[in-house]
Amino acid sequence: MMHKSALFIILLFSFITSAYAQNAAGWRWYNEPRVIKKSVKKSPPPSPTVTIKRTRTLTATEQMKWFKNYYENSINDAVINPKDQKKVEKSMLLNQYISEQSSLYGMTFKKVLLDNPSLSYTKDHPTEQASRSTYLSLTRQKKVRAVRELAEQGWGMFFVYKGDEPIDKKLAPSIQAFAEQHGIEVLGVSLDGKVLPAIANNQVNQGNINVPFSPAIVLVNPTSGEMKPLAYGFIAQEDLLGRFLNVATDFAPDF
């Protein structure tokens, strides 16, 4: 009986010891929170970046703007620092460079005129004294001819004025003399009812003509009723001749 009891106690102790050992192992390996290491995905290496540098040539205008700023800054720097020999020398070299470039342009200009004489202004507009008077005489003849041709086509002049205005009074004799010399009729039109005796034929304006300023000289075609302004304000006879040529040629450029 005693033998069986001892055997039972020994078995019971072995079971408890074994269970304790299992619990201890379980606490250590399973019950403890495990840190799960996430596999870090390595991102692929970046693809090589190719940088393309584009070189742009400045336009002639951009180059001149850059050089102008550079030149002005250099000159101003030299003036502000007049004892700095390097800065003064730099400004002098820039002035010399500009002078050389201008001289080169001038010589090339002359060469081009010889290669292409149609570009020369003096070909049709001589500036030398020996030929200048001949040129002016031919030009005046062209203007006089323009007045006569317009007169032959039935054109005349309105001299629109105010009889009490000093400038209008001063201009009136010149306009009458111009009309008589070049064979074109002129009619004086008074805006204020004051008639100027220097004009041979006058009438008071009855609202038939409106001008922004007076005195005014208007080219008129009585047949068609067409009117073209020639001048406003005081004008010399030679200048008035030029206005007739402008109108006759529809203001074609003269150069």
Side-chain angles (χ1 to χ4, degrees), residues 157-171:
M157 289 191 301
F158 279 167
F159 174 54
V160 187
Y161 63 87
K162 292 179 180 178
D164 280 337
E165 291 293 330
I167 292 180
D168 302 46
K169 292 179 181 180
K170 185 71 174 179
L171 182 58

Side-chain angles (χ1 to χ4, degrees), residues 170-189:
K170 185 71 174 179
L171 182 58
S174 177
I175 297 301
Q176 184 64 46
F178 179 94
E180 293 173 358
Q181 180 180 356
H182 299 291
I184 189 168
E185 294 185 7
V186 59
L187 175 67
V189 180

Side-chain angles (χ1 to χ4, degrees), residues 158 203-210 227:
F158 279 167
Q203 75 175 39
V204 177
N205 186 36
Q206 301 295 330
N208 296 324
I209 183 170
N210 294 310
M227 292 191 294

Side-chain angles (χ1 to χ4, degrees), residues 179-240:
E180 293 173 358
Q181 180 180 356
H182 299 291
I184 189 168
E185 294 185 7
V186 59
L187 175 67
V189 180
S190 174
L191 297 175
D192 59 0
K194 301 289 185 178
V195 174
L196 293 177
I199 301 296
N201 298 309
N202 291 279
Q203 75 175 39
V204 177
N205 186 36
Q206 301 295 330
N208 296 324
I209 183 170
N210 294 310
V211 292
F213 303 101
S214 68
I217 304 170
V218 182
L219 192 63
V220 183
N221 189 322
T223 303
S224 64
E226 188 177 4
M227 292 191 294
K228 297 180 180 181
L230 286 173
Y232 294 104
F234 195 93
I235 185 170
Q237 290 190 19
E238 288 300 316
D239 292 335
L240 185 56

Side-chain angles (χ1 to χ4, degrees), residues 47-224:
S47 58
T49 302
V50 178
T51 302
I52 300 176
K53 293 184 178 180
R54 296 181 179 178
T55 303
R56 186 176 71 88
T57 302
L58 296 177
T59 65
T61 301
E62 290 171 335
Q63 291 180 53
M64 287 301 294
K65 285 183 178 179
W66 177 88
F67 179 77
K68 182 180 179 181
N69 290 333
Y70 178 76
Y71 172 77
E72 289 181 349
N73 185 68
S74 299
I75 296 298
N76 292 335
D77 196 17
V79 173
I80 293 174
N81 301 282
K83 293 184 178 181
D84 191 321
Q85 291 186 358
K86 291 294 183 182
K87 294 181 177 181
V88 173
E89 181 184 23
K90 180 180 178 182
S91 68
M92 294 171 65
L93 288 172
L94 284 171
N95 282 325
Q96 184 182 51
Y97 170 76
I98 292 174
S99 178
E100 291 173 351
Q101 290 295 103
S102 299
S103 178
L104 180 60
Y105 175 85
M107 297 306 293
T108 305
F109 187 93
K110 293 179 180 180
K111 185 177 185 299
V112 170
L113 290 180
L114 291 176
D115 293 339
N116 190 353
S118 64
L119 296 174
S120 176
Y121 176 83
T122 58
K123 177 178 67 67
D124 298 316
H125 305 79
T127 57
E128 296 296 331
Q129 188 61 36
S131 59
R132 185 66 177 169
S133 58
T134 302
Y135 166 73
L136 293 176
S137 177
L138 291 173
T139 301
R140 190 176 190 282
Q141 290 177 21
K142 187 188 300 184
K143 295 175 181 178
V144 170
R145 189 163 54 249
V147 179
R148 294 194 178 276
E149 288 176 354
L150 287 171
E152 290 172 0
Q153 295 170 15
W155 291 85
M157 289 191 301
F158 279 167
F159 174 54
V160 187
Y161 63 87
K162 292 179 180 178
D164 280 337
E165 291 293 330
I167 292 180
D168 302 46
K169 292 179 181 180
K170 185 71 174 179
L171 182 58
S174 177
I175 297 301
Q176 184 64 46
F178 179 94
E180 293 173 358
Q181 180 180 356
H182 299 291
I184 189 168
E185 294 185 7
V186 59
L187 175 67
V189 180
S190 174
L191 297 175
D192 59 0
K194 301 289 185 178
V195 174
L196 293 177
I199 301 296
N201 298 309
N202 291 279
Q203 75 175 39
V204 177
N205 186 36
Q206 301 295 330
N208 296 324
I209 183 170
N210 294 310
V211 292
F213 303 101
S214 68
I217 304 170
V218 182
L219 192 63
V220 183
N221 189 322
T223 303
S224 64

Side-chain angles (χ1 to χ4, degrees), residues 29-43:
W29 302 109
Y30 296 97
N31 295 333
E32 184 182 60
R34 290 195 302 167
V35 178
I36 301 176
K37 295 182 178 180
K38 294 182 180 180
S39 59
V40 179
K41 293 183 179 180
K42 294 182 178 181
S43 57

